[in-house]
Structures are given as C-alpha cells and as structure tokens.
Amino acid sequence: MSRKECRVCLTLLHPDRFRSIQQTIEYIVTSFQGHNPGFALRFIRPDPRGRVTDPVGDVVSFIHCFEEKYGRSHPVFYQGTYSQALNDAKRELRYLLVYLHGDDHQDTDEFCRSTLCTEEVITFLNARMLFWACSTSKPEGYRVSQALRENTYPFLAMIMLKDRKMTVVGRLEGLIQPEDLINQLTFIMDANQTYLMSERLEREERNQTQVLRQQQDEAYLASLRADQEKDRKKREEQEQRRQEEEKVRQSALAEERRRQTLEEEKERKSECLPPEPPADDPESVKISFKLPNDTRVERRFLFGQSLTVIYDFLFSLKETPEKFQIVTNFPRRVLPCLPTEEQPNPPTLKEAGLSRSEVLFVQDLTDD
C-alpha cells in the first residue's frame, strides 16, 4: 500500500479531522485521483452491469451475437434466465452446464471455434445436459459471474441437484481441447452419478408415496361421498315416510273432523225436523223409503211440507249415505229436494205429485 493510501486509511480511522461525511468522501476521491484516475469515476458511477432489467433479453442477445460470430453450429443454448435453467435442471434431474463468455479474453475465440462448436462436443452436450451461456458483459451474465466467482476464461461450471439443492460439482477454467472437455465432463458426471441416482430414487419414492396418498385420498373421498349419498338417501326416505305418515295422519284427522261435522249436522237436522203428523190426519202422506243397504224406513209427512223436509229426514238417519238423491219408482224421476238457482224453493209433496202412500228409493251419490 502506498503512503497516500495509508494516509487515507488513517484519515478514515480519525473522522474528527472532518466535519461531515461529505468532506470525507471528497477527500478520498481527491486523494485517489492522482494515484488511480479511474478510481474516482468508478466510485461515483457504479458498474451498469449490476442492474439486471431484462435477463431473458441478455441471454437471447448473447446467442444472436454468438451465432453472428461463430455460426449456427453450436450446442443448444437454453433460451431463458439462469434461474429458469436451474429450475428446469432441478425438475428434470439433469446436469446443467454453465458457460460464461469473456468477450475480451485472449482464449475465448479459440475455445468457441475449436472446442465448443465442434461436432463431438455438440453431440455430447445436447444428449446429456442442459447448456446455458451468457456473456459477462451482459447484466445477466455478470450476475451469474458474481455468484460463481470464476478466475479466468473460458469458464464452465457443472451444476446438479445434490443433497436437495443445486450445487456446483465441477469447474473448468482456461482453454481446453474437445477431447479433454468431454473426458473431464464425463469424469464429473460419473463421480456424481450416485447422487443423481439417489435423487431420482428418492423423487420416485416421493412420487409413489404421493400417488399412493392421492389414491388413498381419492378412495377416502369416494367412500365419504358414498356414505354421504347413503345418508342423504336415508334422510330422504325418512323424510318421505314422515311426510307420508303425516299425510295419512292429517287425512285421518280431516276424515274424523268431517265425520264429526257430518254427525253434528245430522243431529242438527234431526232436531229441526217438524213433528210427524198422526196417521188419521187427512193431509198426511205415508212414505216408505228403501235405503241403499236394503233397509226400509217409514215416516209420515204433510202434503204441504217442502220436499226438503223429506231430504232432511233421510239425512238425519245414520244409515243414509252422506250424498244421496230421492227417486220415485214409476215413473222414475228424481225429486228436487234441494234448492237450486233455477228453483230456490223446492216444491211441496203435493206439488211433486206424491200420493198418500208412496215408496221412494234413496240412491247413493257418495262416489259420484
């Protein structure tokens, strides 16, 4: 270290000499300008390669420049970022060969023309690994260079999945002939083949375990859906039975209410009937009713009474059906016992043409 550099270091150790950080920076820049004129420029303006804004564009631009200079006969370049190449190699359990291209290095042209673009190298690389390359003059290549820390060019790094992380397992630096390159890459691959096989077996076991777990989950879900479907059908059947039972119960209640209402109505009609006239009453009519159950009932009425009285009498009997009509024997005709819109007041027995002694038939209309 020069005296001037030492003086700067001592100055940094004794900041009381300066009243601000700005003064310290100005002093450092001024002190080093005479010793190294480029230092001040680098100190003020950082390396533009440090900012990666279009990594894919950097890789594609390098490939185009490479093909313009060395032709299209070359290994298949991975057209993506370094991170994408790492992820693909990890996912596919393949080797990834990284090439960092030093544009200004004296051995770069010879390596590209005499080694990298030879037919045997192209065939070897394309068949066995992914190949990613970029120039260190590009931000993406510079970033990878900072990560891999190469010493010289040409630089190649073999990367693979080892112990569950992407690891550099081989580094090749400096000019190398095609046969030596293939031999050294083969040696690196052979030395690490057990790790790759272990990763493949482990991944296969994980995949099989995952498939088995997935199959078990699917079987469980299928069984669960079947049980849920059984429960649903069981609930539907129970609900259907409950509804049917409720319907029967409601129907029975409705029938009971209807029967009770009918009995009350029969009783009310019976209480409202006029008294039966005596047999010697000249206006009396003796009627014999033949019921649908073949039983006979007799009662006397008056000629002047409405046919409704006859109907109410029959309605009040327990043997009489709920709905019925009264029919004469000969000539057969239905007596208009109930009021209608055309005849709101039914005729009397006399108006209906009944004699002092009649036989009438009660016809059941319940099912009509």
Side-chain angles (χ1 to χ4, degrees):
M1 181 179 294
S2 67
R3 292 181 179 179
K4 187 172 292 186
E5 290 172 336
C6 291
R7 186 167 61 253
V8 171
C9 294
L10 291 174
T11 301
L12 293 175
L13 292 174
H14 299 281
D16 291 342
R17 184 175 176 181
F18 299 93
R19 297 188 179 278
S20 69
I21 297 176
Q22 181 64 33
Q23 289 176 336
T24 304
I25 296 174
E26 291 176 357
Y27 180 79
I28 294 172
V29 173
T30 303
S31 299
F32 271 89
Q33 261 184 326
H35 179 71
N36 186 1
F39 171 79
L41 181 60
R42 290 197 303 272
F43 188 87
I44 297 172
R45 183 183 301 171
D47 195 326
R49 295 178 299 173
R51 291 188 59 203
V52 182
T53 58
D54 184 13
V56 176
D58 292 342
V59 174
V60 173
S61 175
F62 162 73
I63 295 173
H64 289 165
C65 293
F66 186 94
E67 290 180 344
E68 288 179 1
K69 191 170 184 178
Y70 303 109
R72 294 181 176 273
S73 179
H74 55 72
V76 177
F77 289 116
Y78 184 96
Q79 298 194 23
T81 67
Y82 174 66
S83 298
Q84 290 171 342
L86 285 175
N87 290 333
D88 282 352
K90 181 178 181 181
R91 186 183 67 254
E92 299 173 13
L93 289 179
R94 298 181 65 185
Y95 292 101
L96 172 64
L97 184 63
V98 174
Y99 167 59
L100 293 179
H101 184 84
D103 293 309
D104 299 328
H105 196 273
Q106 59 185 4
D107 294 328
T108 297
D109 279 347
E110 184 177 351
F111 173 76
C112 292
R113 298 182 189 278
S114 302
T115 300
L116 189 60
C117 294
T118 59
E119 183 178 351
E120 58 268 31
V121 171
I122 293 173
T123 303
F124 180 85
L125 297 184
N126 289 345
R128 290 169 175 80
M129 62 195 68
L130 296 178
F131 183 62
W132 185 90
C134 192
S135 171
T136 55
S137 64
K138 305 291 184 181
E140 175 70 355
Y142 179 72
R143 177 170 64 178
V144 178
S145 171
Q146 294 295 302
L148 298 180
R149 298 292 182 182
E150 75 279 9
N151 296 312
T152 186
Y153 302 96
F155 174 78
L156 294 164
M158 180 75 85
I159 303 175
M160 61 169 286
L161 183 63
K162 183 178 180 181
D163 298 329
R164 297 192 178 182
K165 63 180 180 180
M166 297 302 287
T167 305
V168 177
V169 295
R171 299 166 64 94
L172 303 178
E173 297 181 273
L175 186 61
I176 186 172
Q177 297 303 311
E179 184 178 356
D180 293 335
L181 173 62
I182 293 174
N183 290 336
Q184 292 193 37
L185 290 177
T186 302
F187 176 80
I188 294 172
M189 294 170 63
D190 291 342
N192 293 276
Q193 189 66 22
T194 55
Y195 296 104
L196 198 60
M197 290 297 297
S198 176
E199 291 288 349
R200 287 172 178 167
L201 289 174
E202 186 175 348
R203 179 173 295 185
E204 185 177 353
E205 290 178 0
R206 288 199 302 269
N207 290 339
Q208 290 177 352
T209 301
Q210 184 177 0
V211 170
L212 179 60
R213 185 179 296 110
Q214 183 178 356
Q215 291 174 347
Q216 291 174 343
D217 291 342
E218 290 176 354
Y220 170 77
L221 291 176
S223 176
L224 180 62
R225 285 193 293 268
D227 292 341
Q228 291 174 343
E229 182 66 15
K230 289 180 181 178
D231 292 341
R232 185 188 65 80
K233 289 183 177 180
K234 184 177 180 180
R235 289 194 301 271
E236 287 182 353
E237 292 173 356
Q238 290 176 345
E239 179 63 18
Q240 185 176 0
R241 285 197 299 268
R242 189 195 65 78
Q243 291 179 358
E244 291 175 354
E245 291 172 357
E246 180 65 16
K247 185 177 180 180
V248 171
R249 190 179 70 85
Q250 292 294 335
S251 178
L253 288 175
E255 179 62 23
E256 180 63 24
R257 286 194 295 268
R258 188 193 64 79
R259 189 181 296 109
Q260 184 176 357
T261 301
L262 181 61
E263 290 177 357
E264 292 174 354
E265 182 68 12
K266 284 177 176 290
E267 186 176 352
R268 188 182 64 82
K269 292 288 186 181
S270 178
E271 293 174 353
C272 294
L273 287 174
E276 184 178 3
D280 57 353
D281 189 330
E283 292 296 319
S284 67
V285 177
K286 179 183 177 182
I287 302 178
S288 177
F289 299 99
K290 187 175 181 182
L291 302 179
N293 59 0
D294 292 333
T295 60
R296 288 180 176 269
V297 179
E298 292 184 355
R299 193 184 190 279
R300 290 186 297 276
F301 300 90
L302 296 175
F303 274 116
Q305 291 175 332
S306 171
L307 290 177
T308 304
V309 176
I310 299 177
Y311 188 90
D312 291 345
F313 165 73
L314 292 172
F315 182 80
S316 66
L317 300 177
K318 291 184 179 181
E319 299 86 353
T320 309
E322 184 177 350
K323 296 180 181 180
F324 62 91
Q325 65 183 6
I326 304 171
V327 182
T328 61
N329 186 21
F330 185 81
R332 187 182 184 281
R333 59 192 176 94
V334 178
L335 297 178
C337 299
L338 298 177
T340 61
E341 291 184 0
E342 294 80 8
Q343 194 175 25
N345 297 314
T348 63
L349 274 68
K350 186 175 183 179
E351 291 172 345
L354 298 182
S355 60
R356 287 183 57 84
S357 179
E358 289 283 350
V359 177
L360 300 179
F361 296 88
V362 179
Q363 187 175 6
D364 188 358
L365 299 179
T366 303
D367 296 334
D368 293 347

